[in-house]
Amino acid sequence: GNSVTQMEGPVTLSEEAFLTINCTYTATGYPSLFWYVQYPGEGLQLLLKATKADDKGSNKGFEATYRKETTSFHLEKGSVQVSDSAVYFCALSDDYKLSFGAGTTVTVRA
Amino acid sequence: NAGVTQTPKFQVLKTGQSMTLQCAQDMNHNSMYWYRQDPGMGLRLIYYSASEGTTDKGEVPNGYNVSRLNKREFSLRLESAAPSQTSVYFCASSDRQGPGNTIYFGEGSWLTVV
């Protein structure tokens, strides 16, 4: 079956630091890959997605590239802000259901 | 711009009590979902409804029932609540089947079973 493994947290960074959250997946077929973000007390919001190999999703300074050869979809941001403090979830879909990773809590300190 | 609305936001139940979580979406989406979120486990699919009139089990359906009341509404029922069902529940919807579709989430319902 499908599964997603993402870097365990928590991750604590200083403002303007570089953020990487690793995500690898196992799937049959050709899944689409997503990053969702959950701010404290809120639901999940789509951050970015990629639907085929070598696609790069980007949004709000975050980027992730769909790497089929390494079955990975690592999330990166070059300079984080305090407002980026949240829980980040990697997810995949090969039909109409999402399979999620466990989530990575990121705290950015001023 | 409501999107996915779920109620109640917070609920405390005693073991053995029943309750229904309500969910409605105003985006004319065909597919709706119920997930639960537990620490360190991400989100796990409880039930989903690919289209009006159909429902299917997800990863963790035991102890739950669902009803797709119409295209807009998808409710989740706990018939006899157990402490293991203490969790945050998210309703979600998407406009189509197939990979690449974006799923939109409600704000969550915090349920505690004592």
Side-chain angles (χ1 to χ4, degrees):
Chain A
N2 297 337
S3 66
V4 176
T5 303
Q6 65 181 99
M7 186 173 89
E8 290 186 19
V11 174
T12 302
L13 301 166
S14 298
E15 251 186 335
E16 299 183 3
F18 185 87
L19 171 67
T20 299
I21 305 176
N22 290 338
C23 172
T24 58
Y25 68 90
T26 302
T28 55
Y30 302 94
S32 292
L33 301 173
F34 305 79
W35 278 99
Y36 278 82
V37 59
Q38 183 180 31
Y39 299 105
E42 299 184 10
L44 279 73
Q45 304 173 27
L46 177 67
L47 182 58
L48 54 84
K49 70 178 184 181
T51 58
K52 61 183 187 296
D54 300 325
D55 268 3
K56 177 186 284 188
S58 61
N59 186 27
K60 299 182 180 180
F62 291 89
E63 292 184 341
T65 301
Y66 188 165
R67 301 288 188 198
K68 193 170 187 298
E69 64 276 11
T70 55
T71 62
S72 65
F73 192 54
H74 305 321
L75 183 68
E76 297 181 336
K77 185 173 186 181
S79 178
V80 295
Q81 305 300 313
V82 172
S83 57
D84 294 324
S85 297
V87 182
Y88 293 83
F89 293 92
C90 186
L92 71 81
S93 168
D94 66 356
D95 50 26
Y96 46 85
K97 304 187 298 292
L98 280 175
S99 298
F100 284 89
T104 302
T105 301
V106 174
T107 302
V108 180
R109 294 183 174 167
Chain B
N1 194 15
V4 179
T5 303
Q6 51 182 114
T7 58
K9 194 169 180 69
F10 299 98
Q11 184 72 48
V12 179
L13 285 177
K14 294 182 178 179
T15 297
Q17 286 186 319
S18 62
M19 77 159 295
T20 299
L21 297 174
Q22 307 286 354
C23 176
Q25 51 91 9
D26 62 3
M27 296 175 281
N28 201 35
H29 286 170
N30 288 311
S31 301
M32 298 186 73
Y33 314 81
W34 276 105
Y35 286 87
R36 59 177 288 173
Q37 181 182 23
D38 301 291
M41 302 187 75
L43 277 76
R44 293 179 293 168
L45 183 64
I46 304 171
Y47 270 94
Y48 64 99
S49 171
S51 60
E52 187 179 356
T54 69
T55 60
D56 286 285
K57 296 178 180 179
E59 301 172 67
V60 288
N62 291 344
Y64 305 95
N65 285 301
V66 290
S67 296
R68 183 75 183 265
L69 304 171
N70 48 55
K71 190 172 185 179
R72 289 187 64 246
E73 299 173 286
F74 188 42
S75 62
L76 178 72
R77 183 161 177 83
L78 287 69
E79 292 290 352
S80 178
S84 61
Q85 294 178 304
T86 293
S87 189
V88 184
Y89 291 85
F90 289 97
C91 180
S93 70
S94 63
D95 63 351
R96 61 180 174 87
Q97 298 183 25
N101 59 306
T102 298
I103 295 182
Y104 298 85
F105 287 83
E107 294 188 342
S109 296
W110 275 254
L111 176 64
T112 301
V113 183
V114 297

